[in-house]
Amino acid sequence: MENIVYFPTLDVYKCSDALCIQSDVDTPVYAGANATVLEVGKNDEIGKYVRMSLGGGYEVTYGELKDVQVSSGLSIACGELIGYVAEPTKYYSVEGPNLYIKMTENGSPIDPLEHLNYE
């Protein structure tokens, strides 16, 4: 988030407020914390995504998903299935399949790996 990262698909260097964790298509994606689903949507950059409130001003967004298993308003538990890793969008075609994770505290980006349960 403080460092400039090279994105080969776009052939640009930029700061990113999210992590992209390389994965295989169809890898299951599980909630890293108890949460309430705020939004399930889709956009050109991160494809299908799920945005969730963790409480206390924390939110997390998982993107590059398919077969999403949750819906807006649903309360989910840590470890519950959210969906599966999708084929990459055109913005990540060179990087390949990945799980996009953005976490914020009161609207400011923070490192999700310091706050979520993962394996």
Side-chain angles (χ1 to χ4, degrees), residues 30-112:
Y30 301 99
N34 296 335
T36 300
V37 178
L38 299 173
E39 178 183 17
V40 176
K42 184 177 181 179
N43 71 37
D44 288 341
E45 184 177 353
I46 63 170
K48 288 185 182 176
Y49 65 88
V50 174
R51 186 171 62 90
M52 302 182 293
S53 171
L54 307 178
Y58 291 95
E59 288 187 8
V60 64
T61 301
Y62 294 91
E64 299 277 352
L65 299 174
K66 68 178 188 175
D67 301 330
V68 173
Q69 304 292 304
V70 298
S71 57
S72 295
L74 188 67
S75 292
I76 60 173
C78 182
E80 191 169 330
L81 181 66
I82 295 171
Y84 299 87
V85 174
E87 291 288 342
T89 64
K90 65 182 178 181
Y91 292 89
Y92 295 96
S93 61
V94 173
E95 289 85 353
N98 68 84
L99 174 63
Y100 171 97
I101 304 176
K102 178 181 178 180
M103 188 169 181
T104 60
E105 180 182 16
N106 299 317
S108 297
I110 58 174
D111 185 349

